[in-house]
Amino acid sequence: MHKDIATPIRTKEILKKFGFSFKKSLGQNFLIDPNILKNITEHAGLTKASGAIEIGPGIGALTEHLARNSKKVLAFEIDQRLLPILEDTLSPYDNVKVIHQDILKADIHTIVDEEFKDIHDVMVVANLPYYVTTPIILKLLTERLPLRGIVVMLQKEVADRIGAKPGTKEYGSLSIAIQYYTKAETVMIVPKTVFMPQPNVDSAVIRLTLHEKPIVDVIDEEFFFQVTRASFAQRRKTILNNLINQLPNGKEMKDAISAALSNLNIDPSRRGETLSIQEFASLSNALFPIINK
Ligand code: SAM
């Protein structure tokens, strides 16, 4: 076994050797604790038959743990300056492919289909760049990649929103979007001290396990998400007012929206944060023909 990249001493050596300076704008907070990396990797439940997709390998701290525990690793890195470093630090591993692309622009589906042809168990495992955590997770889910799950480090505040239940202040359209596709769990709370440089916020690791099919039936996914976003647009307003103000034709369709809520036994004076995902599904199915007339 090779010496871990993620010790403070080795990380400093690597940064110095390549004259690397952190770019805050790219969310570069590298992990410098091998135990945390081991734990993250264990939570992914990889085997020697698994494929791992990493977003933002940095200098390879997590990548090498994934390489040791899976069949193949695909790592997407946006910062060109890291490519020669990764070439060097990951030279002991022949099962890693680094792809120099912005994950938000990459055609991940095609790349995964090509690179993981003979692999049937695929996990995303990453310490995400915090400025784009939500768009990255939503892209992975809405593109319907053939994943078993996602284990990622992110801001604790976002982890709380993702796993939130109805009736709490953290519950919102993000909780619903993610719980529509996955079972969400927070598996670790992580102190700032394990990063270099230390981020300003607390961190957590979440595990998302994909449902075989979404837990509710909706006529139109895009419209379902539109209704949930509309319902939380102004959290202090009632569900009826938010729907009227936010949905296209909402104002003209006020009476029909109000009737749809009553038919579903949803009191129009409730707030969006009290509705379950099942209620949002029934509501969006009832509103679909009304709003999309
Ligand atoms: N995995 C490393 C670790 O844990 O030490 C680095 C994690 S660091 C929080 C985030 C990494 O994501 C950085 O290497 C950064 O350059 C990269 N990154 C930022 N935005 C990206 C994007 N849009 N697509 C791909 N990589 C990105």
Side-chain angles (χ1 to χ4, degrees):
M1 180 105 80
H2 298 273
K3 214 165 59 161
D4 268 322
I5 295 169
T7 61
I9 294 178
R10 176 109 194 270
T11 298
K12 276 188 202 141
E13 270 170 20
I14 295 168
L15 299 178
K16 191 161 167 230
K17 176 172 166 194
F18 289 90
F20 184 83
S21 53
F22 293 102
K23 265 200 194 146
K24 221 176 162 184
S25 62
L26 290 180
Q28 291 180 337
N29 301 94
F30 294 172
L31 282 165
I32 49 163
D33 183 334
N35 281 323
I36 295 275
L37 291 159
K38 198 164 155 272
N39 281 339
I40 296 175
T41 308
E42 278 172 11
H43 281 298
L46 300 169
T47 72
K48 279 290 178 191
S50 308
I53 301 173
E54 186 184 5
I55 295 140
I59 60 170
L62 175 61
T63 325
E64 70 174 352
H65 283 260
L66 302 177
R68 286 176 195 153
N69 290 286
S70 69
K71 184 164 186 192
K72 183 169 178 182
V73 184
L74 270 187
F76 291 86
E77 176 55 63
I78 198 172
D79 188 348
Q80 184 152 24
R81 300 172 308 152
L82 289 166
L83 302 188
I85 307 185
L86 288 164
E87 179 107 15
D88 183 55
T89 56
L90 298 176
S91 59
Y93 308 95
D94 60 6
N95 59 343
V96 179
K97 181 159 180 177
V98 176
I99 299 179
H100 177 218
Q101 276 189 39
D102 177 342
I103 191 72
L104 293 177
K105 298 196 180 135
D107 178 3
I108 321 176
H109 219 298
T110 307
I111 298 172
V112 169
D113 285 348
E114 271 166 24
E115 298 290 339
F116 287 161
K117 267 196 199 94
D118 52 343
I119 293 180
H120 306 292
D121 178 60
V122 181
M123 289 293 292
V124 170
V125 191
N127 169 19
L128 291 177
Y130 287 2
Y131 73 105
V132 276
T133 36
T134 308
I136 291 175
I137 296 175
L138 289 177
K139 174 169 177 168
L140 296 171
L141 296 175
T142 53
E143 290 200 0
R144 297 294 177 99
L145 296 174
L147 304 176
R148 172 164 55 87
I150 299 176
V151 173
V152 282
M153 173 94 75
L154 35 58
Q155 307 91 309
K156 182 174 174 300
E157 174 260 327
V158 179
D160 290 344
R161 286 199 281 130
I162 285 176
K165 298 276 177 285
T168 62
K169 72 176 194 315
E170 289 81 15
Y171 182 65
S173 54
L174 181 65
S175 331
I176 293 165
I178 306 249
Q179 292 172 31
Y180 174 73
Y181 295 108
T182 74
K183 179 176 109 183
E185 307 157 272
T186 295
V187 291
M188 278 161 73
I189 305 290
V190 180
K192 295 179 178 141
T193 48
V194 300
F195 298 92
M196 182 190 288
Q198 294 188 13
N200 298 324
V201 294
D202 291 327
S203 300
V205 176
I206 58 164
R207 177 168 56 204
L208 306 176
T209 308
L210 270 81
H211 300 307
E212 268 180 29
K213 62 181 196 53
I215 49 168
V216 288
D217 286 323
V218 297
I219 298 174
D220 184 287
E221 268 179 21
E222 191 37 55
F223 185 68
F224 168 66
F225 293 129
Q226 194 182 351
V227 168
T228 60
R229 282 194 301 270
S231 306
F232 289 98
Q234 289 188 279
R235 297 186 70 103
R236 295 158 70 88
K237 288 210 163 146
T238 64
I239 178 103
L240 178 61
N241 276 335
N242 269 327
L243 293 172
I244 293 170
N245 291 327
Q246 304 294 328
L247 291 178
N249 315 331
K251 292 199 178 62
E252 296 104 89
M253 292 297 167
K254 180 176 176 194
D255 292 342
I257 296 174
S258 185
L261 286 164
S262 302
N263 286 340
L264 295 167
N265 287 326
I266 300 172
D267 182 341
S269 67
R270 279 169 66 184
R271 290 185 182 162
E273 67 197 40
T274 68
L275 268 69
S276 67
I277 188 164
Q278 286 77 13
E279 287 177 309
F280 275 115
S282 319
L283 179 60
S284 77
N285 289 344
L287 294 178
F288 187 71
I290 299 172
I291 299 297
N292 296 286
K293 258 217 255 227

